[in-house]
Amino acid sequence: MSAPTIFKHLKNDASRTVKIVLAPFNGGQPHGGVDLGPDYMLKHGLRYQIEDKLKWKTEVLKPLEGLNLENLKKEADLKEKITKPTIKRADLVALANKKIYESCRDGINKGEFQLTIGGDHSIAIGSVAGLLSRHPNAGLIWIDAHADINTVNTTETGNLHGCPVSFLANMDRKDWPESFKWIPENLLATDKIAYIGLRDVDEAEKKILKDNNIKAFSMYHIDRFGINSVVEQAIAHISKGDKDCPIMVSYDVDAIDPEASVKCTGTKVDFGLNNREALFLCERICETGNVVALDVVEVNPTLGADEKEILKTVAIGCSIVRCSLGETLL
Ligand SMILES: [Mn+2]
């Protein structure tokens, strides 16, 4: 057996703990079913895999418990049929994320790993904000087919799962609905973000990336330099010379190619990461010893044509978690 990974910012003794934050939320996009992601991953044995194979303790936090999300969503949709706002279900997305944020901020200790399972990618507003409350200098690696950086003013669809990074970076804050104002100011600097896997980016988003000089590795860069070089460059960029810089990974499974494994996700885009590239990213980031938090989002089991497709997507979601927590091939 290889030596266990040393997690510099976390407890490395027998008490080391993963706090699993369940975020079964689908209000940031149009499809039902993405709220079932956490359930399917847990039923696939995720907790057992973390505890038994990788020897972490686990605890589960349920920040959205008690909210009647389906009712709140219906109410929001009814109201918006008349008001036709530019962003959809804003107050609901803000409320759910405030709960996730508070849970991550208050329910997780600095020496514990934060694992948030979505849900659609809008839940990263809460999870990243919560992580940054404990590790303010953390860098963010956003693995995704999409940049998710539309602002309240540039979004074409109004679906807030396409906007979380703009909220975290406080873009167009003066135009935010009041319900989002709990998000701390000066939260995430744009030079602490690195994207990997992009291949479907709106024109307005391209401009935002360019204007803010945000480090973004598309599939082109992976083809050109290889996944190893890309991940090294991403880590170096967000770490800014600090070899102990804490790292959070926000992993949208739509980064992975639909033909490779991920057919059950809401916004599939062809020509993505293959399965080894998808997991190598996690293995290598984990190997730095600096990873402190992970989101796994956009697993939607209801979008599978058959059980095999569902299983493949759910299984790679679980693999992403294990590889981020120290699972190695040897
Ligand atoms: Mn995303």
Side-chain angles (χ1 to χ4, degrees):
M1 238 182 99
S2 61
T5 307
I6 299 298
F7 290 84
K8 291 179 209 163
H9 303 277
L10 306 177
K11 284 196 180 127
N12 280 296
D13 57 25
S15 70
R16 65 181 190 173
T17 301
V18 180
K19 287 270 171 81
I20 307 176
V21 184
L22 303 186
F25 182 73
N26 66 25
Q29 48 84 65
H31 306 283
V34 71
D35 47 300
L36 297 173
D39 234 26
Y40 272 72
M41 285 176 63
L42 289 174
K43 281 197 186 117
H44 192 67
L46 182 63
R47 265 185 104 167
Y48 162 80
Q49 295 165 26
I50 298 171
E51 289 182 357
D52 229 67
K53 284 188 166 174
L54 299 169
K55 308 294 177 204
W56 294 75
K57 290 191 164 51
T58 64
E59 278 175 47
V60 172
L61 304 178
K62 299 178 179 177
L64 303 183
E65 202 170 48
L67 289 181
N68 193 333
L69 290 169
E70 281 310 301
N71 265 2
L72 292 170
K73 200 170 84 175
K74 270 184 211 145
E75 280 170 28
D77 289 348
L78 266 178
K79 208 164 85 190
E80 292 181 358
K81 267 195 174 154
I82 304 160
T83 55
K84 299 201 184 325
T86 50
I87 50 172
K88 293 172 185 159
R89 305 173 187 145
D91 293 348
L92 177 58
V93 173
L95 171 71
N97 274 291
K98 186 163 186 272
K99 298 265 183 200
I100 294 165
Y101 165 63
E102 288 166 351
S103 205
C104 294
R105 185 193 58 190
D106 305 333
I108 306 179
N109 298 313
K110 216 172 174 189
E112 295 170 336
F113 191 97
Q114 172 185 310
L115 168 62
T116 309
I117 307 179
D120 69 61
H121 217 162
S122 70
I123 62 102
I125 299 172
S127 65
V128 176
L131 187 279
L132 289 170
S133 72
R134 300 195 306 285
H135 297 279
N137 65 329
L140 176 64
I141 298 183
W142 195 273
I143 302 173
D144 205 313
H146 311 90
D148 296 348
I149 198 167
N150 271 301
T151 73
V152 294
N153 295 317
T154 68
T155 172
E156 290 170 22
T157 64
N159 295 321
L160 284 166
H161 77 155
C163 306
V165 182
S166 81
F167 282 98
L168 291 163
N170 268 258
M171 293 173 175
D172 289 355
R173 186 178 176 112
K174 60 177 187 341
D175 300 318
W176 290 3
E178 208 46 47
S179 51
F180 279 99
K181 297 284 173 71
W182 59 265
I183 297 173
E185 290 185 54
N186 304 315
L187 184 65
L188 176 67
T190 48
D191 67 354
K192 295 289 278 182
I193 306 167
Y195 286 100
I196 298 177
L198 301 185
R199 57 193 182 278
D200 183 13
V201 182
D202 296 343
E203 288 308 315
E205 290 183 300
K206 288 181 188 171
K207 186 170 180 333
I208 294 170
L209 294 180
K210 216 170 257 167
D211 289 352
N212 292 280
N213 205 13
I214 294 172
K215 192 59 104 182
F217 298 98
S218 69
M219 291 309 297
Y220 169 83
H221 300 99
I222 295 170
D223 294 338
R224 175 134 165 68
F225 302 113
I227 194 73
N228 181 53
S229 166
V230 162
V231 72
E232 293 309 318
Q233 291 180 62
I235 292 167
H237 177 77
I238 60 166
S239 301
K240 309 263 170 279
D242 173 6
K243 62 181 188 349
D244 295 328
C245 177
I247 300 173
M248 170 159 190
V249 177
S250 197
Y251 207 129
D252 187 325
V253 295
D254 75 19
I256 305 167
D257 195 278
E259 290 306 320
S261 56
V262 178
K263 287 217 167 74
C264 303
T265 192
T267 44
K268 284 193 282 284
V269 191
D270 286 337
F271 310 127
L273 300 173
N274 68 38
N275 291 328
R276 266 310 300 158
E277 289 167 338
L279 298 180
F280 171 79
L281 282 173
C282 303
E283 293 166 335
R284 178 62 198 120
I285 296 167
C286 176
E287 199 178 31
T288 64
N290 286 324
V291 63
V292 287
L294 169 71
D295 302 327
V296 180
V297 300
E298 301 283 357
V299 170
N300 187 338
T302 63
L303 297 178
D306 53 39
E307 229 164 277
K308 208 174 142 199
E309 283 188 10
I310 300 169
L311 190 65
K312 262 186 147 180
T313 306
V314 172
I316 198 128
C318 292
S319 298
I320 287 168
V321 174
R322 293 197 312 275
C323 291
S324 301
L325 289 172
E327 185 178 76
T328 54
L329 292 173
L330 292 177

